Amino acid sequence: MLVCDAMSTVVLTIGPDHTLRQAAALMSARRVGAAVVHDPDADGIGILTERDILNSVGLGQSPDTEHAHAHTTTDVVFAAPSWTLEEAAGAMAHGGFRHLIVLDRGEPAGIVSVRDIIRCWAPARQPAARMAG
């Protein structure tokens, strides 16, 4: 199975000046665990994850005054839609992260997460068998 089969095509893009609270609200509303951070004044794109926000709050920083650019990972490993899920999982395991931005022709086409890969690899959920009484 390929990354394009598992990735979410819901790509939340925010700017570097979004506060962490704004980023968290947008991520929550779209039910995603990561946002692409696009800074028109810088080369490339970065990623802000729920873990980045959690770490900031855990350090006592205010989500109302901390901005995305201060917590964005800019040394990003990107996946291609044609990667296998094994390649994506290997990149995640090697890099110690849970999300990969998927680039297609240089543009974000989706995000694949560990959860997306597990959904593809795990057997479909079966309804619990009811015990006869």
Side-chain angles (χ1 to χ4, degrees), residues 6-132:
M7 71 183 190
S8 169
T9 57
V10 175
V11 179
L12 172 62
T13 301
I14 64 171
D17 292 326
H18 276 77
T19 66
L20 293 187
R21 184 175 307 281
Q22 291 169 326
L26 291 168
M27 290 164 65
S28 177
R30 287 170 178 78
R31 301 179 54 85
V32 296
V36 170
V37 181
H38 174 69
D39 184 350
D41 297 329
D43 289 334
I45 57 176
I47 189 167
L48 178 75
T49 67
E50 56 198 357
R51 176 76 43 108
D52 298 323
I53 296 169
L54 180 68
N55 287 341
S56 174
V57 172
L59 290 171
Q61 298 172 336
S62 171
D64 294 311
T65 58
E66 287 296 311
H67 291 93
H69 66 82
H71 303 277
T72 297
T73 300
T74 56
D75 185 20
V76 180
V77 175
F78 298 101
S82 59
W83 278 18
T84 65
L85 293 185
E86 289 82 5
E87 289 173 301
M92 290 176 184
H94 179 73
F97 44 80
R98 300 180 300 160
H99 298 86
L100 284 169
I101 299 172
V102 182
L103 292 184
D104 190 14
R105 296 181 197 102
E107 295 294 322
I111 293 184
V112 65
S113 69
V114 169
R115 183 176 298 176
D116 295 326
I117 294 171
I118 290 171
R119 276 192 202 117
C120 290
W121 285 348
R125 289 187 189 181
Q126 299 296 322
R130 295 186 186 228
M131 297 185 66

